[in-house]
Amino acid sequence: MGIMPVLNDEVPDEGDYDASRRRGEFDNITPDDFIRGSDGGNPPGWLDSSEIDDLRRKMPIVYVEVVPVRADDFGRISKVGTLLHVGPDGMIERTLICGRVLFHESLREAVARNISKDLGDIALPLLPVSLQPFTVAEFFPTPGVSEFYDPRQHAVTLCYVVPIAGDCKPQDETLDVEWVDPVEVRRPDFMAQMAGGHGEILRRAIGWAG
Amino acid sequence: MGIMPVLNDEVPDEGDYDASRRRGEFDNITPDDFIRGSDGGNPPGWLDSSEIDDLRRKMPIVYVEVVPVRADDFGRISKVGTLLHVGPDGMIERTLICGRVLFHESLREAVARNISKDLGDIALPLLPVSLQPFTVAEFFPTPGVSEFYDPRQHAVTLCYVVPIAGDCKPQDETLDVEWVDPVEVRRPDFMAQMAGGHGEILRRAIGWAG
Amino acid sequence: MGIMPVLNDEVPDEGDYDASRRRGEFDNITPDDFIRGSDGGNPPGWLDSSEIDDLRRKMPIVYVEVVPVRADDFGRISKVGTLLHVGPDGMIERTLICGRVLFHESLREAVARNISKDLGDIALPLLPVSLQPFTVAEFFPTPGVSEFYDPRQHAVTLCYVVPIAGDCKPQDETLDVEWVDPVEVRRPDFMAQMAGGHGEILRRAIGWAG
Amino acid sequence: MGIMPVLNDEVPDEGDYDASRRRGEFDNITPDDFIRGSDGGNPPGWLDSSEIDDLRRKMPIVYVEVVPVRADDFGRISKVGTLLHVGPDGMIERTLICGRVLFHESLREAVARNISKDLGDIALPLLPVSLQPFTVAEFFPTPGVSEFYDPRQHAVTLCYVVPIAGDCKPQDETLDVEWVDPVEVRRPDFMAQMAGGHGEILRRAIGWAG
């Protein structure tokens, strides 16, 4: 199996125009941008901030969330991967791989693109044969409506566990990828580092995997 | 179990302002409308057509699709329900229950609301305990990209089988609800009446149910 | 929906020949017994203890395990049911509904029969439309091989969540059915009362249901 | 990922004592045999025919069934594998990978062992992360009870789709492994070659994979 042919045009490298942008702003791409960008106004690949913010207040946004794992030859999870990065408050945060599905992008492409964005191009993810997610997490902009909270938007997030067969080099704003034993994950101090309900998604992934 | 307390405010009754509107236009509601509507401009509950059309060209839209069934006391499907209505070309079409998830609406609310819209308020649907869908259908506005085609939009559709315990009175533009034996569903002439890939969703539902 | 027509012939009532038998011995029925029983030798409905014990040492035994829940009109779990009974050491134990699948019995029949055995005949279980289990628990007679341990046997257990719409009257050796809020279930003291891995099955059920 | 360390001791090679035995007889191994075999009577690895036949009439037998597939880098099924062998009537039959779960063997071990038995030791199967099967097929010895019929026994069969990354060399009684496009599988003449309900399992696999 060769290197995953992810949609690299859409993944800005270091040194690109977006190098100084904050994590998550990459979510804001829409197809219009690619078209509009060519006339010299906006840089290509980005929706105007106010426009994407407007969309986020009008309808639910489709997301995929990926729990990267190392699996042994029998398919059992040996390690669970989480991403470390610096949060808006300067604290280290622990997250999973998570991103918006773009217009006319398939779920499989979105899963592959977001893995490549966070883990690099030689991670060799083994995507699931079925798109039946292990859970669907509904993030609401109002705290307390569900276990999942996202102040920016109402997101409907399809969650998948994806074995990673290759090497990971953290990309984008990710400081490091940390691989831990599945039993470690249930430790309260570990869970406390995962805000917004992403720890609950991880817990469900491990329960579902068995 | 009492009558399902669906969000009736959002379901226009016969005689309402929308009585003459075509099927599917109901999909266009956004929360803004409820707010804006009160100042006397637009009727409440509707986004401007051009606005919703604009959204549909910018991002994937979250849908739920429901296969209504009659189940026996052991949970086995005894009948599968399909909806008959007049298509844009004046022909009878066969569909499932399908609708957009509104901003800040949960998937469960969307499932209940759409069932109520098509089958009436005393259908007594038994919603699934888990939101894990039996399949996720990706509709693209470009024919041939997937088995699912919707000229209006890119829709990511979470599909559920829902047993119906009560009585159905077809609502909205639905002419009739037809209940057929699951084995009938595989007949080519039956499938030929279900356009856009909805027949494939029904086939998967029956395969998944076993 | 009428009263579930469970296989009452197979469910001994109070006062039956088995009134003094210990919990779990009911598992030992095989079809042979019904046949053999009629000639006046063994009481009908029971395999010779040594015979069933012999089978348990030779091959994996198929089980179903049911997490009974109360669900609201939107399918959300409002309460989780657990069974209390006196364990072999005289202590109160907390369990789920669990039983062997008999020869020539379907999984649906086994689920219905075991619910009826523990919760009575007017529990009105709403059996799932699909037999896809939320988890498969593998119990081994050797501690530590998996999270699930059963000293008697190697059991392959298909696990289902089943909403209960009717009234429960504890049957058999069950002292009581206790309904608790799903968040209570994660409390360590609650989990500590569920031996052999049944707590883990309950945890997975709640995570899967969302 | 290295070569799958399947339980080769249990897989007789060509030239072994079982070379002349018919397909399926391998199913009859029980742990007792390994013990008994050492005293020089029976060849090791086989239960006495009458003994296993006796078990098959007394309780349901746990099976795994595997649909081998070739998947592309996005996890989509590109080819579906079926096995060709000569049936008892001398006709070519088409089957899937299917075998009994042995006492004290995990489901994952049974899946790996049965793949190795039919496809050889360098097939490099990518076992699923979760043991949640896409379907559970109940085979009964009575025709017509379900879609699945096995004259020998009542089998409860957990079904999985497994991508095969390596090379296949047909083993045992398998004449050939044929890889076909998923759309070919629905052709009536293809399905007609798969007896006993295995075609229905294949159909469900493809529907579930999407």
Side-chain angles (χ1 to χ4, degrees):
Chain A
M1 208 173 292
I3 290 176
M4 167 76 56
V6 272
L7 314 170
N8 279 305
D9 303 0
E10 296 179 27
V11 183
D13 281 330
E14 274 177 62
D16 252 348
Y17 55 84
D18 68 324
S20 63
R21 289 173 181 261
R22 62 167 179 79
R23 182 186 174 78
E25 196 157 3
F26 183 72
D27 282 346
N28 296 355
I29 290 180
T30 76
D32 277 5
D33 303 324
F34 292 102
I35 300 159
R36 245 182 330 151
S38 56
D39 71 1
N42 242 359
W46 303 104
L47 252 193
D48 187 278
S49 272
S50 65
E51 198 170 354
I52 182 76
D53 286 351
D54 182 54
L55 295 177
R56 289 194 203 275
R57 282 191 307 266
K58 285 188 173 155
M59 47 205 325
I61 312 292
V62 187
Y63 267 72
V64 289
E65 184 146 345
V66 171
V67 180
V69 302
R70 298 290 191 185
D72 69 13
D73 287 346
F74 287 96
R76 285 177 299 227
I77 295 178
S78 51
K79 298 284 179 190
V80 170
T82 50
L83 313 180
L84 299 177
H85 68 96
V86 179
D89 55 356
M91 303 289 284
I92 298 289
E93 284 183 355
R94 197 181 282 282
T95 66
L96 297 168
I97 296 168
C98 187
R100 189 162 78 75
V101 179
L102 304 183
F103 182 80
H104 221 289
E105 182 184 47
S106 73
L107 291 166
R108 292 181 181 284
E109 287 165 341
V111 166
R113 176 175 57 80
N114 281 285
I115 291 172
S116 177
K117 177 161 73 75
D118 280 334
L119 302 186
D121 283 347
I122 54 168
L124 297 181
L126 305 169
L127 267 63
V129 165
S130 170
L131 287 175
Q132 187 181 41
F134 69 86
T135 205
V136 182
E138 302 180 78
F139 289 82
F140 290 100
T142 315
V145 171
S146 80
E147 289 184 279
F148 308 103
Y149 170 58
D150 185 337
R152 298 171 302 163
Q153 63 194 339
H154 173 193
V156 173
T157 303
L158 307 184
C159 302
Y160 301 99
V161 175
V162 178
I164 302 295
D167 294 324
C168 298
K169 45 167 196 152
Q171 302 281 310
D172 211 28
E173 307 271 317
T174 300
L175 299 179
D176 201 5
V177 184
E178 200 175 272
W179 297 97
V180 302
D181 193 276
V183 300
E184 294 292 295
V185 162
R186 285 183 179 160
R187 280 181 10 225
D189 59 328
F190 188 96
M191 278 290 161
Q193 295 176 312
M194 305 191 72
H198 298 281
E200 173 62 20
I201 289 175
L202 182 49
R203 205 187 331 239
R204 290 184 189 177
I206 291 168
W208 170 78
Chain B
M1 209 174 291
I3 290 177
M4 167 77 56
V6 272
L7 314 169
N8 279 304
D9 303 1
E10 296 178 26
V11 183
D13 282 328
E14 275 177 60
D16 252 348
Y17 56 84
D18 69 325
S20 63
R21 289 172 182 261
R22 64 168 177 77
R23 180 185 175 79
E25 196 158 1
F26 183 72
D27 282 346
N28 296 353
I29 290 179
T30 74
D32 277 5
D33 303 323
F34 292 103
I35 301 157
R36 245 184 327 150
S38 58
D39 71 1
N42 244 357
W46 302 104
L47 251 192
D48 188 278
S49 272
S50 66
E51 198 170 354
I52 182 77
D53 286 350
D54 182 55
L55 295 177
R56 288 194 204 276
R57 283 191 307 265
K58 285 187 174 155
M59 50 204 324
I61 312 293
V62 188
Y63 268 73
V64 290
E65 183 146 347
V66 171
V67 180
V69 301
R70 298 291 191 184
D72 70 13
D73 287 345
F74 288 96
R76 286 176 298 229
I77 295 178
S78 52
K79 298 284 179 191
V80 170
T82 50
L83 313 180
L84 300 177
H85 68 95
V86 179
D89 56 357
M91 303 288 285
I92 297 289
E93 284 184 354
R94 196 181 283 282
T95 66
L96 298 167
I97 297 168
C98 187
R100 189 163 78 75
V101 178
L102 304 182
F103 182 80
H104 221 289
E105 182 184 48
S106 73
L107 290 166
R108 294 181 180 283
E109 286 165 341
V111 166
R113 176 175 57 78
N114 281 285
I115 292 173
S116 177
K117 177 161 73 74
D118 281 333
L119 301 186
D121 283 347
I122 55 169
L124 297 181
L126 304 169
L127 267 60
V129 165
S130 170
L131 287 176
Q132 188 183 40
F134 68 87
T135 204
V136 182
E138 302 180 79
F139 289 83
F140 291 100
T142 314
V145 172
S146 81
E147 289 184 281
F148 308 102
Y149 170 57
D150 186 336
R152 299 171 300 165
Q153 63 193 341
H154 173 194
V156 174
T157 303
L158 308 184
C159 302
Y160 301 99
V161 175
V162 178
I164 301 295
D167 294 323
C168 297
K169 46 167 195 152
Q171 301 281 310
D172 209 28
E173 307 271 317
T174 300
L175 299 178
D176 201 5
V177 184
E178 201 175 272
W179 298 95
V180 301
D181 193 277
V183 299
E184 295 291 296
V185 162
R186 284 183 179 160
R187 280 180 13 223
D189 59 327
F190 188 96
M191 278 292 160
Q193 296 177 312
M194 304 191 73
H198 298 282
E200 174 61 21
I201 289 175
L202 182 48
R203 206 188 330 241
R204 290 184 190 176
I206 292 168
W208 170 78
Chain C
M1 209 173 292
I3 290 176
M4 167 76 55
V6 272
L7 314 171
N8 279 304
D9 304 359
E10 296 179 26
V11 184
D13 283 328
E14 275 177 62
D16 252 348
Y17 55 84
D18 67 325
S20 62
R21 288 172 181 261
R22 64 168 176 77
R23 182 186 173 76
E25 195 157 4
F26 183 71
D27 282 346
N28 297 354
I29 290 180
T30 75
D32 277 5
D33 303 324
F34 293 102
I35 301 159
R36 245 184 327 151
S38 58
D39 71 2
N42 242 359
W46 302 104
L47 252 193
D48 187 278
S49 272
S50 66
E51 197 170 355
I52 182 76
D53 287 349
D54 182 54
L55 295 178
R56 289 194 203 274
R57 282 192 307 266
K58 285 187 174 157
M59 50 204 323
I61 312 293
V62 188
Y63 268 72
V64 290
E65 183 145 347
V66 171
V67 179
V69 301
R70 297 291 192 185
D72 69 13
D73 287 346
F74 287 96
R76 284 177 299 229
I77 295 178
S78 52
K79 298 283 179 190
V80 170
T82 49
L83 313 180
L84 300 177
H85 69 95
V86 179
D89 55 357
M91 303 289 284
I92 297 289
E93 284 183 355
R94 197 180 282 283
T95 66
L96 297 167
I97 296 167
C98 188
R100 190 163 78 75
V101 179
L102 303 183
F103 183 80
H104 222 287
E105 182 185 46
S106 72
L107 290 167
R108 293 181 180 283
E109 288 165 339
V111 166
R113 176 176 57 79
N114 281 284
I115 292 173
S116 176
K117 177 162 73 77
D118 280 333
L119 302 186
D121 284 347
I122 55 168
L124 297 180
L126 304 170
L127 266 62
V129 164
S130 169
L131 286 175
Q132 187 181 38
F134 69 87
T135 205
V136 182
E138 302 179 78
F139 289 82
F140 290 99
T142 315
V145 171
S146 81
E147 290 184 280
F148 308 102
Y149 170 58
D150 185 337
R152 297 172 302 164
Q153 63 193 340
H154 172 192
V156 174
T157 303
L158 307 184
C159 302
Y160 301 99
V161 174
V162 178
I164 300 296
D167 295 323
C168 297
K169 44 166 198 153
Q171 300 282 309
D172 209 27
E173 308 271 315
T174 301
L175 299 179
D176 200 6
V177 184
E178 200 175 271
W179 297 97
V180 301
D181 193 276
V183 300
E184 295 292 295
V185 161
R186 285 185 179 159
R187 280 181 10 225
D189 59 326
F190 189 96
M191 278 291 161
Q193 295 177 312
M194 304 190 72
H198 297 281
E200 173 62 20
I201 290 176
L202 182 48
R203 205 185 334 236
R204 290 184 189 177
I206 291 167
W208 170 78
Chain D
M1 208 174 291
I3 291 177
M4 167 76 56
V6 273
L7 316 169
N8 279 304
D9 305 0
E10 296 178 26
V11 184
D13 282 328
E14 274 177 61
D16 252 347
Y17 54 84
D18 67 325
S20 63
R21 288 171 182 264
R22 64 168 177 77
R23 182 185 173 77
E25 196 158 1
F26 183 72
D27 282 345
N28 296 353
I29 291 179
T30 74
D32 278 5
D33 303 323
F34 292 102
I35 301 157
R36 244 186 328 151
S38 58
D39 72 0
N42 243 359
W46 302 103
L47 252 192
D48 188 277
S49 273
S50 66
E51 198 170 353
I52 182 76
D53 287 349
D54 181 55
L55 295 178
R56 288 194 203 276
R57 282 192 307 266
K58 284 187 174 156
M59 49 203 325
I61 313 292
V62 187
Y63 268 72
V64 290
E65 184 146 346
V66 172
V67 180
V69 301
R70 297 291 192 184
D72 69 13
D73 287 346
F74 288 97
R76 285 177 299 229
I77 295 178
S78 52
K79 298 285 179 189
V80 170
T82 50
L83 313 180
L84 299 177
H85 68 95
V86 179
D89 55 358
M91 303 288 284
I92 298 289
E93 284 183 355
R94 198 181 282 281
T95 66
L96 298 167
I97 297 167
C98 188
R100 189 163 78 75
V101 179
L102 304 182
F103 182 80
H104 222 288
E105 182 185 45
S106 73
L107 290 167
R108 294 182 180 283
E109 287 166 340
V111 166
R113 175 176 57 80
N114 280 285
I115 291 173
S116 176
K117 176 161 72 77
D118 280 334
L119 302 186
D121 285 346
I122 55 169
L124 297 180
L126 304 169
L127 267 60
V129 164
S130 169
L131 287 175
Q132 188 183 39
F134 69 86
T135 204
V136 182
E138 303 179 79
F139 289 83
F140 291 99
T142 315
V145 170
S146 81
E147 290 185 279
F148 308 102
Y149 170 57
D150 185 336
R152 298 173 300 166
Q153 63 193 339
H154 172 195
V156 174
T157 304
L158 307 184
C159 302
Y160 301 99
V161 175
V162 178
I164 301 295
D167 294 322
C168 297
K169 45 167 196 152
Q171 301 281 310
D172 209 28
E173 307 271 316
T174 301
L175 299 178
D176 201 5
V177 184
E178 200 175 273
W179 297 96
V180 301
D181 193 277
V183 300
E184 294 292 295
V185 162
R186 284 182 180 162
R187 279 179 14 223
D189 59 326
F190 188 97
M191 277 291 161
Q193 295 177 312
M194 304 190 73
H198 298 281
E200 173 62 20
I201 289 174
L202 182 47
R203 205 187 332 240
R204 290 184 190 176
I206 291 168
W208 169 78

